[in-house]
Structures are given as structure tokens and as C-alpha cells.
Amino acid sequence: MTGRPLIVTMGDPAGVGPEIIAKAWPILATPPGPLAPVTPFAVIGDADVLSARGAKVERIFAPSDAVAVFGRAIPVLHAPAPAPVTPGQPDPRNAPAVADWIERAVDLTLSGEACGVVTAPIAKAPMYASGFRFPGHTEFIAELTADMPFNGTRGPVMMLTAKDLRACLVTIHVAIDQLPELVTAERVMRVARVVHESMKRDFGIAAPRLALAALNPHAGEGGAIGLQEIDVLRPAAAALRAEGLNITDPLPADTLFHEEARARYDATVCLYHDQALIPVKTLDFWGGVNATLGLPIVRTSPDHGTGFDIAGKGIARADSFIAAVRLASEMAVARATR
């Protein structure tokens, strides 16, 4: 227990964010259940939208109020959506408020009033229509924290986690044909440093073991089916080991994620989106979590989108949100006890 709450942002109020928050709270607020969080959370967003999704809410005026309230209701730092909210129908007029909720959550965490941020999903189209200029949460939060001191290699690095797998990405949303140009030794080494430091800082692992995924099938098979392993990845891994990191040479991705292989490392450095996301979603499709490493604050998110097609129907599953709260709680405690 850190003594400070997490801050949950509502995400797009027309999406499933309010619904999964409402469904998760009774589970997370009931100790000593196995899913009870280490610390409570407060929501930044529209309290009336949460109430309309069946949540028991109580408005608060400071994050410090959340600890006392959390056992009986969802504490909400009320910030109304400017336009009416209809489930499944995003409105760009609400997008500035969505961005403001994120910015306020980050500010409260940077100030020490909260111990971390959990972000419910946002959608790019309504955000872009309002002038939002970032690809998503990760880049926005990275900029919001860019001027804050940070003792370590700065990210952001996206990590997807499910069960005992932590898969960290060198590239994210890029076309496959761009990978040979984008997977550079510098990028791989920076991501590996961020992951190594985060395993210590955020997960309490004193001597992290990292696995590096290869880009080509069979790790290039000695250059027969690709030279990136020889020209880029092996030299990068050797340089990292010279710095003191415990990281493998590039390993074939098709044998990197089964149970016995996962027991040999604490995190894996993956080179592109599907290389990380396919094993994560196969291991736990409903419970995967997105975490941002290498920032001055803890930030996690459920690993799914806004679900406009099912919003308001009462069928959205809260598994991933629950796991995101749990992970953020654990990371915040690890940081507080270092």
C-alpha cells in the first residue's frame, strides 16, 4: 500500500470505459479477494456517466479522499463531459475533456498526490477531429512528462503483459516492409536499457534476464534468410552485455514464447507489433495489459479499444481493466519501496 490512490481516466465516455470501471470496482474494492488492488483508485471523468452505467459513485475533491471512500463507492473527481454522452456514439466535442482528464491525471501523479495512472480506452478519430495531435495515450503521456526529472533511460516503451509474459516493443504501429529500416542497433539498445531498468524499478527484479527476439525466421539461419541478426541484432546484444545487461543473442520468435522458454527470461524485447501481441493475446486474450515503461510515472491500460459496438449493452468484460489496476498497483508499490 502506497498510501496514495491510483488515478483512473474514464477514456471516451461513449465507449466501454465507464462500464468496465463500474464492473471492476465491486471486485477490486472487496478485500481480501485475489483481485483486490494494493491501493484504491479515483476516477477522473463525468460522474453522471458512471452512474448511468450502474456504478455507485461518490464525488470527491482531492485524491486523498479516495482511500476513505473506495470501500463504499467509486471516488470520482468530477469533470463533466461538455456534450451529451450516448453509448456507442463518440462525439468530438467531448474529446478536449478526454484529453484534459488524462493531463490532470498525469499532473496529480507528478505532484505526488497519486501513485500512478490507469487509462481507459480512447479512440483516435474523435480525438483527431478535435485537434489532438498524438498517435495515442503513450505519446501524449510521454510529452506531458518530458520535462520532469527521471533517473534512468527515458522511454516511452510499450510493454504488453499477460500471465508470466512481458513483451516489450522496439516498433509499434508500422508496416512490415518498414522494419528493416526501423530496427536499428540504437533503437534495440535503448529499448533494452529501458526494459532492464524497469524490471528493477517497477518489478523488483534485481538481476533481470532479457530475451531478444530475432527479426527473420530461424534467426536468419546464418544469413541465408536475412542479415539483420548478423549486422544489427547480435552486435547490439553484445554491446548491451558489455554494459552489464543480461540479454540473449536474437532468438527465433517461433520458439520464444512457450512455457519452458518463458521460464528462462523476465521480459522479451520484440521487434514489431504482432511478434509481441500474438503471444500475449494467445496466453490471455481477455486479461492482457498495456504498460508504458521509462516514464517518471506509472501508467497502465487495458489492452483493448473503446468497443463502441458493444458500449452500453452490459456485455463488456472488465478482465483487462482489473489486471491493469492490479499491475499499476504492484508497480507503484515497487517504486515506493526501492
Side-chain angles (χ1 to χ4, degrees), residues 109-163:
T109 306
L110 289 172
S111 72
E113 296 176 74
C115 65
V117 178
V118 180
T119 57
I122 60 175
K124 292 180 174 61
M127 298 296 288
Y128 291 165
S130 75
F132 188 76
R133 60 184 180 85
F134 300 92
H137 271 116
T138 300
E139 296 81 3
F140 184 36
I141 294 174
E143 176 149 317
L144 292 174
T145 59
D147 295 331
M148 297 303 297
F150 181 63
N151 183 24
T153 306
R154 189 177 287 271
V157 167
M158 182 182 289
M159 179 184 79
L160 289 304
T161 181
K163 297 185 178 179

Side-chain angles (χ1 to χ4, degrees), residues 208-279:
R209 303 164 301 159
L210 306 185
L212 175 60
L215 179 62
N216 295 299
H218 303 178
E221 206 163 287
I225 46 177
L227 296 173
Q228 285 81 10
E229 287 71 23
I230 295 172
D231 294 342
V232 176
L233 299 177
R234 287 182 186 170
L240 289 165
R241 288 193 292 270
E243 295 178 7
L245 276 68
N246 180 356
I247 186 168
T248 67
D249 279 333
L251 300 173
D254 64 347
T255 58
L256 190 53
F257 299 107
H258 63 87
E259 186 173 3
E260 290 182 17
R262 298 197 307 272
R264 296 194 288 266
Y265 58 80
D266 301 299
T268 180
V269 176
C270 295
L271 303 181
Y272 59 96
H273 182 276
D274 285 9
Q275 191 174 67
L277 271 290
I278 288 173

Side-chain angles (χ1 to χ4, degrees), residues 73-84:
I74 300 176
V76 181
L77 293 159
H78 179 58

Side-chain angles (χ1 to χ4, degrees), residues 11-325:
D12 192 304
V16 296
E19 183 177 333
I20 60 177
I21 294 168
K23 286 184 175 182
W25 171 75
I27 298 169
L28 293 169
T30 307
L35 296 178
V38 176
T39 189
F41 63 77
V43 175
I44 290 182
D46 193 315
D48 295 331
V49 172
L50 266 179
S51 295
R53 301 298 181 275
K56 184 178 181 182
V57 305
E58 187 170 327
R59 299 186 187 190
I60 61 173
F61 299 98
S64 57
D65 300 331
V67 176
V69 171
F70 191 71
R72 63 176 181 265
I74 300 176
V76 181
L77 293 159
H78 179 58
V85 175
T86 302
Q89 299 180 26
D91 191 328
R93 292 176 295 173
N94 287 326
V98 173
D100 287 345
W101 297 339
I102 300 166
E103 186 166 358
R104 187 176 173 193
V106 170
D107 288 344
L108 289 171
T109 306
L110 289 172
S111 72
E113 296 176 74
C115 65
V117 178
V118 180
T119 57
I122 60 175
K124 292 180 174 61
M127 298 296 288
Y128 291 165
S130 75
F132 188 76
R133 60 184 180 85
F134 300 92
H137 271 116
T138 300
E139 296 81 3
F140 184 36
I141 294 174
E143 176 149 317
L144 292 174
T145 59
D147 295 331
M148 297 303 297
F150 181 63
N151 183 24
T153 306
R154 189 177 287 271
V157 167
M158 182 182 289
M159 179 184 79
L160 289 304
T161 181
K163 297 185 178 179
D164 61 347
L165 174 61
R166 303 182 186 99
C168 307
L169 286 164
V170 172
T171 69
I172 306 176
H173 298 118
V174 301
I176 292 291
D177 62 4
Q178 296 177 20
L179 291 177
E181 178 181 350
L182 295 176
V183 175
T184 63
E186 292 77 15
R187 284 176 184 262
V188 170
M189 291 175 70
R190 181 186 67 83
V191 169
R193 292 185 191 110
V194 170
V195 175
H196 172 81
E197 294 165 11
S198 178
M199 291 303 106
K200 292 182 173 183
R201 178 179 55 247
D202 299 324
F203 295 90
I205 300 170
R209 303 164 301 159
L210 306 185
L212 175 60
L215 179 62
N216 295 299
H218 303 178
E221 206 163 287
I225 46 177
L227 296 173
Q228 285 81 10
E229 287 71 23
I230 295 172
D231 294 342
V232 176
L233 299 177
R234 287 182 186 170
L240 289 165
R241 288 193 292 270
E243 295 178 7
L245 276 68
N246 180 356
I247 186 168
T248 67
D249 279 333
L251 300 173
D254 64 347
T255 58
L256 190 53
F257 299 107
H258 63 87
E259 186 173 3
E260 290 182 17
R262 298 197 307 272
R264 296 194 288 266
Y265 58 80
D266 301 299
T268 180
V269 176
C270 295
L271 303 181
Y272 59 96
H273 182 276
D274 285 9
Q275 191 174 67
L277 271 290
I278 288 173
V280 165
K281 290 181 181 290
T282 300
L283 273 178
D284 190 355
F285 182 79
W286 297 108
V289 177
N290 177 350
T292 307
L293 309 183
L295 296 182
I297 65 169
V298 168
R299 181 260 169 162
T300 68
S301 177
D303 183 27
H304 59 70
T306 50
F308 291 130
D309 58 326
I310 61 170
K313 298 180 180 178
I315 60 175
R317 291 180 57 150
D319 309 49
S320 185
F321 177 79
I322 290 169
V325 172

